Amino acid sequence: MQQPYTEEQQKKIFFFRGIGLTFVIALFAKCLAWLPFFNMMGQLVIAILIGMTWQAVFKVPDVLLAGSNFSSKKLLRFGIILLGMRLNFVDMIDAGPNVFILAVINIVLTLIIVYGLARLFKVDENLGILTACGTAICGAAAVVAVAPQLKAKDNEIAIAAATVAILGTIFTMSYTVLYPIMHLSSHGYGIFSGATLHEIAHVIAAAEPAGKDAIDTAIIVKLTRVALLVPVAIVIGIWMNRSKNNKRDTTSWTPIPIPWFIFGFLSMSVINSLGIIPAYLVHYIVLLAYTFIAMAMAGLGLNVDIATFKKLGLKPFSAGLIGSILLSILGYVLMHLLNLV
C-alpha cells in the first residue's frame, strides 16, 4: 500500500505542477504564434494573455503559484541570458553608424516622451518606466529585463508587457497598410520597421510585404535596439538607486544593484558574434530562450487580477499610444535626415 505524501513532498509536487502549467501555456502560445494574425503578436504576448485568461476563468490554486512564480522570476533571467545569442555585433557594425544613431535617438526620445506622458497621466512610476522601456526598446523582453531594477510588482510587469504588445500589434497592421504610400525602398522600409516597432515578431510581420531583404534589414536594426537594453537597464538601476537615497535624505552610500543576467545576456552576444557556436545550435538556444521567457510571461499572467488590469491599464496604454505614434513619425523623419530611405 502506497504511503501518503508528506507535506514537504506535496509542496514539491505542486511546485513542479505550477512550472508545468507555465510550460504548457508557453507551448500552446508557440503553436498559436504560427497562425495568421497571431504571428503578429508573437509567443511572448500570447503566453501572457493566455495566463491572464486562465486566471480569470479557472482561478489558479495558491498551491501552484510557487511554481508559476519560479517561472516568472528565475526562468525569466535564464531566458534573457540565452536571448543574447540572437545578437551579432558584426552584423550591427556592417549596418553602418547611421542605423546606430537612429536607434539611439529613437530610444532616448521615446523613453523620455512615454515616461513623461505616463507621469502626466498620473501613472505609477514603475509602471511608467516599464511601459516606456517596452515601447522604446524591445517590447515584453525589455519590460521583464528592466523590472528587477525597479523591484516591480507582477501586476505592473504584466500590464506594461500587455500594453506594449497590443500597441505593437496595432502598429504592425497599420504599417502593412501604409507601406505602399510611404515611398520607401524595401531596404528603407526594413530599417523603418526595425527602428520603430516593439517586438521582434512585430518587426518580422510588418517587414514581410517588402520581401526578404526588408525582413533581414529590419531584424538587424531591431537587434541594434535590443543591444541598447544593457546600458538602459544599468542607467535605470543607478537612477532608481540615487532616487531612493534622496528620498531617505541620507548621505550613506547604497550599493547599486547589478543586473547580473544583463551581463550574461551581453556575454552570450559576444560568444555568438565570435562564431564559436554553430548556427544550428544557436537556433536551438534562442528557441530555448523564448520558451523560458514565454513560461515567465505565462507565470506573470497567472498572477494578474483582471480587475486590477482594467483599473491600471488605460492610462499607460494612452501614454504608450501617443509615444508610439511619435516614435513612428520621428523614425520616418530621421530616416530621411540620415539618408537611410
Side-chain angles (χ1 to χ4, degrees):
M1 182 176 177
Q2 186 177 0
Q3 294 294 323
Y5 293 116
T6 65
E7 184 179 347
E8 189 63 30
Q9 288 173 325
Q10 287 180 336
K11 283 183 180 179
K12 288 182 180 179
I13 290 171
F14 285 122
F15 174 77
F16 286 110
R17 282 182 181 176
I19 296 174
L21 177 58
T22 63
F23 176 72
V24 169
I25 292 175
L27 198 60
F28 185 53
K30 178 67 175 176
C31 294
L32 281 179
W34 288 331
L35 301 176
F37 178 74
F38 288 103
N39 60 5
M40 283 189 288
M41 300 172 69
Q43 181 187 13
L44 305 187
V45 176
I46 296 171
I48 196 169
L49 294 177
I50 292 175
M52 291 171 61
T53 304
W54 191 299
Q55 173 69 341
V57 175
F58 300 109
K59 187 63 180 174
V60 180
D62 291 341
V63 290
L64 297 182
L65 291 180
S68 65
N69 287 338
F70 177 85
S71 292
S72 65
K73 292 178 171 62
K74 302 297 183 182
L75 289 184
L76 170 63
R77 287 159 174 73
F78 288 114
I80 291 172
I81 289 171
L82 295 179
L83 190 63
M85 291 299 289
R86 281 212 68 144
L87 289 177
N88 189 315
F89 294 118
V90 176
D91 290 339
M92 293 178 205
I93 292 171
D94 290 342
N98 283 354
V99 167
F100 181 77
I101 292 170
L102 173 65
V104 170
I105 294 174
N106 272 1
I107 286 176
V108 171
L109 291 183
T110 304
L111 284 171
I112 294 171
I113 291 169
V114 175
Y115 177 69
L117 287 169
R119 299 301 286 165
L120 182 65
F121 296 157
K122 305 272 192 267
V123 176
D124 288 342
E125 185 176 34
N126 282 358
L127 185 52
I129 294 173
L130 292 176
T131 304
C133 289
T135 304
I137 308 172
C138 55
V143 171
V144 296
V146 172
Q149 298 290 78
L150 308 174
K151 294 182 172 56
K153 299 174 183 176
D154 286 350
N155 272 332
E156 294 170 331
I157 300 170
I159 290 169
T163 295
V164 174
I166 294 168
L167 286 170
T169 302
I170 292 170
F171 276 77
T172 298
M173 292 187 288
S174 301
Y175 279 21
T176 56
V177 173
L178 294 173
Y179 166 58
I181 61 173
M182 282 185 177
H183 304 296
L184 296 174
S185 65
S186 60
H187 181 75
Y189 177 66
I191 293 175
F192 175 72
S193 299
T196 57
L197 283 173
H198 308 65
E199 301 273 358
I200 291 176
H202 295 148
V203 167
I204 295 172
E208 189 174 19
K212 186 179 182 300
D213 178 56
I215 294 175
D216 292 343
T217 303
I219 291 174
I220 290 171
V221 176
K222 179 62 181 175
L223 293 180
T224 302
R225 289 168 67 195
V226 174
L228 293 169
L229 174 61
V230 176
V232 169
I234 293 172
V235 168
I236 287 175
I238 294 171
W239 176 37
M240 293 303 293
N241 188 68
R242 288 182 177 175
S243 176
K244 288 175 182 176
N245 279 345
N246 289 337
K247 286 178 182 178
R248 293 190 196 106
D249 192 25
T250 178
T251 56
S252 63
W253 182 79
T254 303
I256 296 168
I258 302 297
W260 59 268
F261 58 94
I262 292 292
F263 289 107
F265 169 93
L266 192 58
S267 299
M268 295 299 281
S269 304
V270 172
I271 292 171
N272 184 43
S273 301
L274 294 174
I276 298 172
I277 299 177
Y280 76 91
L281 194 54
V282 170
H283 169 76
Y284 288 112
I285 292 173
V286 171
L287 191 64
L288 181 62
Y290 271 102
T291 301
F292 282 160
I293 298 176
M295 289 172 68
M297 294 290 100
L300 288 171
L302 291 171
N303 280 280
V304 172
D305 178 17
I306 294 296
T308 303
F309 186 86
K310 288 180 180 178
K311 180 181 177 182
L312 299 178
L314 184 59
K315 290 180 180 179
F317 182 86
S318 300
L321 175 61
I322 297 171
S324 296
I325 292 172
L326 294 176
L327 172 62
S328 297
I329 295 171
L330 175 65
Y332 190 78
V333 171
L334 285 174
M335 284 191 58
H336 284 80
L337 293 176
L338 296 171
N339 294 318
L340 294 171
V341 294

